Amino acid sequence: MQPGDKVVVSANVVVFNHPQHRGEAFDMQGSSGEVVSVLNEWKGRPISPTLPVIVAFGRYKAHFRSDELSFAD
């Protein structure tokens, strides 16, 4: 995945910090957004984060694993 790719959340991912559902469980499955960045290095050194893909859904951004996302048509 590269920044700028359009993606859809294909797995059940429950968040509690979504702006329109703050403090309650919200399932992100089916939401579409755009990849902002893929974290793989920090200060020039390689890293292996647990949730490396940052996806923007409007103003809201969330971190995902690559297997939780699929490319949008």
Side-chain angles (χ1 to χ4, degrees):
M1 295 193 176
Q2 301 294 325
D5 288 347
K6 303 290 184 193
V7 294
V8 176
V9 180
S10 60
N12 287 336
V13 178
V14 177
V15 296
F16 289 87
N17 62 344
H18 192 276
Q20 296 168 346
H21 306 277
R22 195 165 304 278
E24 53 188 61
F26 178 70
D27 190 2
M28 296 291 294
Q29 185 173 15
S31 300
S32 60
E34 182 177 332
V35 175
V36 175
S37 66
V38 179
L39 305 173
N40 54 16
E41 68 175 40
W42 184 68
K43 293 186 178 181
R45 301 180 73 186
I47 60 172
S48 58
T50 306
L51 304 170
V53 183
I54 302 174
V55 179
F57 304 94
R59 291 177 35 193
Y60 176 67
K61 294 180 184 175
H63 294 243
F64 295 93
R65 294 188 317 256
S66 59
D67 64 342
E68 297 172 331
L69 303 170
S70 62
F71 290 101
D73 295 330

